[in-house]
Amino acid sequence: EPIDGKDVTLTTDYKIQAIAEKVAEKGLVDNQAKRVSIMVMNPNNGEILVMSAKEINKETGEVKDISTGNFLEAVEIGSTSKAGTLYTGFKENIIVPNTYFVDEPLWFKGSTKAKKSWKTMGNINEIDALAWSSNVYMFRIAMKLAGVEYVPHGALNVDLNRFVKTLSTIRRDFGELGLGVKTGLDVPNESDGYKGRDTAPGHLLDACIGQYDTY
C-alpha cells in the first residue's frame, strides 16, 4: 500500500508574490531598467515570503522571469555592506558608540584620484556615516583594522600578511551577518560568491564598501 510522503510547505505568501510580480514588471518600464529583483524575508526566522525577478530584452521587449537569480547570481552589493563594516568596527573594538572620523577625500601615494565619498561630510559619527553612506568613514575603519594611520599622499603600508589577516577578519564578521556564506536554503547550485584575490592594499578599503567580494 502507498504511504503518504512528507508534506512540502512553501513559505511564499502568494498574495504578496502576485503584487511583487506586477511591481517588478512595472519597475522595468518606469525605470528603463534591464533587470528588477525583489526579495522579502521574515526577519524573525528567515522564511522567504517573496522571490521575484524580471529581465527585459531591450530589442524584443520580451519580459523573462529570472527569480532564481535572487539566490544564484553573485553581485557586488556596494553600500549595503556598510552596516557590516560598522558591525566589524564595533566587534573588533575599532569604534565605540559616537566615534567621530573626518570624511574628506583621501589621497594615497601613486593614486591619480582620491578615495572619497559622494560628497565631503566633515566630522561625522557612525550614525551619520550610515545615514549618509560615507565611504571614507568605512575606509578609516579598514585602515585602523589593518593597523595603519592615514598620511595624506603617503603610501598605504599594508604587507601581505596583514592584508590577509585583515581581510579574513572582515569576511568572518560579514559572514556572521550572512554575507559570503551559504544561506542554508534548500536550493541547488548555490555558491557563496566570488572572493576577490588581488592583494593591492587599497582593496581592503574597497571590501568595506562592498566593491571587492561578491555575494
Side-chain angles (χ1 to χ4, degrees):
E1 292 292 315
I3 299 173
D4 288 343
K6 293 182 179 180
D7 291 336
V8 176
T9 304
L10 298 180
T11 59
T12 305
D13 185 315
Y14 78 93
K15 291 182 180 179
I16 307 178
Q17 178 73 31
I19 294 171
E21 296 287 318
K22 294 179 181 178
V23 169
E25 290 194 25
K26 187 173 186 295
L28 289 173
V29 177
D30 291 352
N31 299 287
Q32 296 185 329
K34 180 181 179 182
R35 180 178 304 164
V36 173
S37 298
I38 301 172
M39 193 88 154
V40 180
M41 297 175 67
N42 182 334
N44 296 310
N45 55 22
E47 290 180 347
I48 304 298
L49 304 179
V50 169
M51 187 186 294
S52 176
K54 303 291 183 181
E55 184 177 63
I56 190 167
N57 185 314
K58 293 289 187 179
E59 295 181 358
T60 65
E62 179 187 4
V63 175
K64 181 180 179 182
D65 185 279
I66 53 168
S67 296
T68 54
N70 281 5
F71 59 85
L72 291 180
E73 186 173 350
V75 296
E76 290 183 354
I77 61 173
S79 293
T80 307
S81 69
K82 289 174 181 175
T85 301
L86 292 185
Y87 171 75
T88 300
F90 283 121
K91 186 184 174 195
E92 307 303 328
N93 299 312
I94 303 299
I95 59 174
V96 296
N98 209 33
T99 294
Y100 280 80
F101 292 136
V102 175
D103 181 305
E104 61 184 356
L106 304 182
W107 288 93
F108 296 99
K109 184 178 180 180
S111 298
T112 57
K113 60 181 181 178
K115 301 280 283 186
K116 60 183 181 178
S117 302
W118 62 279
K119 72 172 184 175
T120 300
M121 303 176 192
N123 200 30
I124 56 174
N125 66 8
E126 73 281 2
I127 296 174
D128 292 331
L130 193 59
W132 290 96
S133 194
S134 167
N135 287 348
V136 175
Y137 195 98
M138 309 305 155
F139 295 158
R140 293 193 184 276
I141 289 177
M143 287 186 286
K144 287 187 174 296
L145 192 61
V148 297
E149 291 293 331
Y150 170 66
V151 177
H153 299 285
L156 187 59
N157 291 317
V158 180
D159 61 29
L160 181 59
N161 288 337
R162 184 173 291 178
F163 180 94
V164 171
K165 182 179 179 181
T166 304
L167 187 58
S168 295
T169 299
I170 294 169
R171 286 172 172 166
R172 181 196 65 205
D173 292 349
F174 276 30
E176 292 175 1
L177 303 177
L179 295 173
V181 295
K182 298 271 183 85
T183 62
L185 297 176
D186 186 15
V187 295
N189 305 318
E190 184 189 13
S191 76
D192 52 9
Y194 174 79
K195 302 289 192 294
R197 296 174 182 172
D198 191 323
T199 57
H203 287 309
L204 287 180
L205 311 187
D206 298 332
C208 283
I209 60 170
Q211 294 181 11
Y212 184 60
D213 289 343
T214 66
Y215 303 101

